[in-house]
């Protein structure tokens, strides 16, 4: 009899925990199959085919992609160096940060694909032009990304300590550039810096770029429950930043990223994505998107996260509005958190189309 009670309990738990996940998976599969040609995101809505989606960037930057492809194809670092030299910290700090991140990420991927030889162009860059601030910044970010790929590695702390040294070098080579200090935020997070130590780096960043969205996203991760803070600390940090946002800033969208970082793996609350907290975070992000410069380098990051939340909230028409702005490039959260970013993005894209078509046909 005791065994039967245990078995019954297991069945009940599985019904509560597993079935919602299975329903979500089934909904995604149904959306991917679509409802005929009318629900085909590519055919009927002109979206980019899945095989042509670019996972390297959240949005278009032809100059950056040309430099990345040249480095990969010929191992020539000069186009990347010239591009960063034309991307000054003054007035273009967001763009410079994103370009440094992408170049470093490209070298990390190359090294993973070809251990020992991949990303050789970055090593050549540092040897041939050791005083180039762009090269120093890319190397520092490369080291951070390389370390964070495997925090359990015995070389983890050693790599991050080297990154800290290169950050200091990059800062000396480019006085006033916030990017080396933004990279150092990642170093501090990885090394488990105290709140006082982290705050010291953060104050240096905001003194140089107080409205820098990329810097705030980097700092938010330190304060999250997954690292050295808590949900309450992360959300408080995001709210303070949003409250102090200047006109045209993307900072009002920061609470949406804080919410995303702290969602439970399994949602047991019906209507979670229609809740007041999530609805307000979505609307604040929509406000930021509507009022920010349309060429803001971090704007696609916000649009991608909005797509994810709007689909989950069953606001499919609004999700489609954002999809039409970003489709083609998917190198952004939440897709980059997935094992297969293309599959995740196309599933949500299909669900947005299917939901919008269903509501239109039933009207």
């Amino acid at each position: 009899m005791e065994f039967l009670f245990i078995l019954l309990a297991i069945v009940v738990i599985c019904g509560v925990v597993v079935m919602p996940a299975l329903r979500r998976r089934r909904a995604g599969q149904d959306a991917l199959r679509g409802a005929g040609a009318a629900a085909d995101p590519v055919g009927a809505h002109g979206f980019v085919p899945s095989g042509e989606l670019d996972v390297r960037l959240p949005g278009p930057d032809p100059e950056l992609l040309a430099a990345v492809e040249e480095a990969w194809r010929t191992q020539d670092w000069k186009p990347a160096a010239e591009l960063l030299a034309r991307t000054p910290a003054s007035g273009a700090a967001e763009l410079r940060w994103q370009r440094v991140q992408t170049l470093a990420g490209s070298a990390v991927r190359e090294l993973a694909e070809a251990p020992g030889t991949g990303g050789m162009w970055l090593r050549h860059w540092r040897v041939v032009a050791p005083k180039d601030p762009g090269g120093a910044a890319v190397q520092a970010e490369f080291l951070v990304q390389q370390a964070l790929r495997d925090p359990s590695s015995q070389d983890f702390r050693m790599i991050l300590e080297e990154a800290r040294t290169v950050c200091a070098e990059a800062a000396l080579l480019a006085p006033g550039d916030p990017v080396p200090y933004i990279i150092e935020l990642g170093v501090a997070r990885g090394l488990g810096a105290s709140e006082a130590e982290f705050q010291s780096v953060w104050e240096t960043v905001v003194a140089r770029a107080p409205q820098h969205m990329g810097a705030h996203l980097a700092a938010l991760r330190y304060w999250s429950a997954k690292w050295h803070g808590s949900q309450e600390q992360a959300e408080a940090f995001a709210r303070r930043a949003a409250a102090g946002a200047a006109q045209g800033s993307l900072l009002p969208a920061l609470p949406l990223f804080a919410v995303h970082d702290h969602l439970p793996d399994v949602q047991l609350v019906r209507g979670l994505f229609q809740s007041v907290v999530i609805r307000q975070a979505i609307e604040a992000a929509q406000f930021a998107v509507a009022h920010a410069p349309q060429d803001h380098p971090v704007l696609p990051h916000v649009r991608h996260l909005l797509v994810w939340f709007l689909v989950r909230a069953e606001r499919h028409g609004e999700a489609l509005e954002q999809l039409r702005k970003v489709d083609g490039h998917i190198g952004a959260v939440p897709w980059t958190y997935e094992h297969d970013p293309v599959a995740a993005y196309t599933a949500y894209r299909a669900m947005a189309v299917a939901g919008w078509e269903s509501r239109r046909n039933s009207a």
Side-chain angles (χ1 to χ4, degrees):
M1 181 64 70
E2 184 179 355
F3 172 77
L4 291 177
F5 280 122
I6 294 172
L7 182 61
L8 178 60
I10 292 172
V11 170
V12 171
I13 291 169
C14 288
V16 172
V17 175
V18 176
M19 287 307 294
L22 292 177
R23 282 196 294 269
R24 287 196 300 273
R25 183 180 299 173
R26 194 174 298 121
Q29 290 170 344
D30 291 343
L32 281 171
R33 286 193 292 270
D40 181 0
V42 176
H45 291 264
F47 288 136
V48 174
S50 61
E52 298 176 19
L53 292 170
D54 195 323
V55 300
R56 295 170 294 182
L57 281 175
D61 187 341
E63 288 185 288
L64 177 57
L65 289 181
V68 167
E69 289 169 1
E70 185 68 15
W72 175 81
R73 187 175 59 86
T74 68
Q75 294 298 301
D76 186 359
W77 54 270
K78 295 184 185 66
E82 292 166 1
L83 178 63
L84 288 183
R86 298 196 306 271
T87 314
S90 177
E94 296 270 19
L95 182 60
R96 185 174 178 83
W97 169 76
Q98 184 152 284
R99 286 176 166 176
V100 166
Q101 274 207 320
T102 300
L103 289 166
S106 178
V108 168
R109 285 191 297 273
E110 287 182 38
L111 184 59
E113 293 170 4
T117 59
M120 191 65 72
W121 57 270
L122 177 55
R123 280 171 268 183
H124 290 165
W125 186 356
R126 294 293 288 138
V127 169
V128 176
K131 299 300 183 183
D132 184 341
V138 173
Q139 185 192 13
E141 176 64 20
F142 165 84
L143 290 167
V144 172
Q145 292 188 28
Q146 185 69 17
L148 292 176
R149 282 174 68 90
D150 184 11
S152 65
S153 168
Q154 61 180 4
D155 297 327
F156 178 72
R157 294 191 66 84
M158 181 182 69
I159 296 172
L160 286 177
E161 291 290 358
E162 183 182 355
R164 174 180 281 167
T165 299
V166 181
C167 281
E169 183 181 349
L172 288 174
L173 292 170
D177 184 357
V179 172
Y181 298 100
I182 298 172
I183 298 169
E184 193 173 348
L185 294 174
V187 175
R189 173 164 56 91
L191 290 175
S194 68
E195 291 186 13
E197 291 171 326
F198 187 85
Q199 191 65 27
S200 175
V201 181
W202 177 242
E203 288 172 1
T204 303
V205 171
V206 295
R208 288 163 169 75
Q211 297 292 313
H212 198 293
M213 182 65 174
H216 281 79
L217 289 172
L220 181 64
R221 300 198 69 190
Y222 175 88
W223 296 111
S224 77
K226 296 174 183 176
W227 285 92
H228 308 296
S230 65
Q231 181 174 350
E232 292 73 20
Q233 287 176 295
E235 290 178 350
F237 173 79
R239 286 195 300 270
R240 286 195 301 271
Q247 185 175 2
S249 171
L250 282 176
L251 291 181
L254 200 61
L256 191 65
F257 287 85
V259 169
H260 183 262
D261 278 352
H262 295 91
L263 286 171
D265 291 333
V266 177
Q267 284 85 48
L268 300 178
V269 179
R270 185 175 179 84
L272 172 65
F273 289 90
Q274 288 82 26
S275 66
V276 172
V277 171
I278 291 183
R279 176 172 54 80
Q280 289 178 343
I282 288 173
E283 291 172 359
Q286 288 176 317
F287 173 87
V289 164
H291 292 85
Q294 293 307 291
D295 61 350
H296 194 299
V298 188
L299 184 57
H301 286 277
V302 181
R303 292 192 187 279
H304 279 289
L305 193 61
L306 269 172
V307 168
W308 192 90
F309 271 99
L310 289 167
V311 169
R312 300 299 294 265
E314 299 181 7
R315 295 162 63 169
H316 301 111
E318 294 167 81
L320 279 178
E321 290 177 17
Q322 301 302 326
L323 280 165
R324 293 188 181 104
K325 300 285 188 180
V326 297
D327 191 61
H329 298 83
I330 61 169
V333 171
W335 324 121
T336 52
Y337 283 171
E338 300 290 342
H339 175 70
D340 188 340
V342 172
Y345 173 80
T346 53
Y348 273 78
R349 186 174 68 178
M351 284 189 281
V353 171
W356 180 78
E357 290 284 0
S358 176
R359 178 163 296 184
R360 187 183 67 168
N361 292 336
S362 63

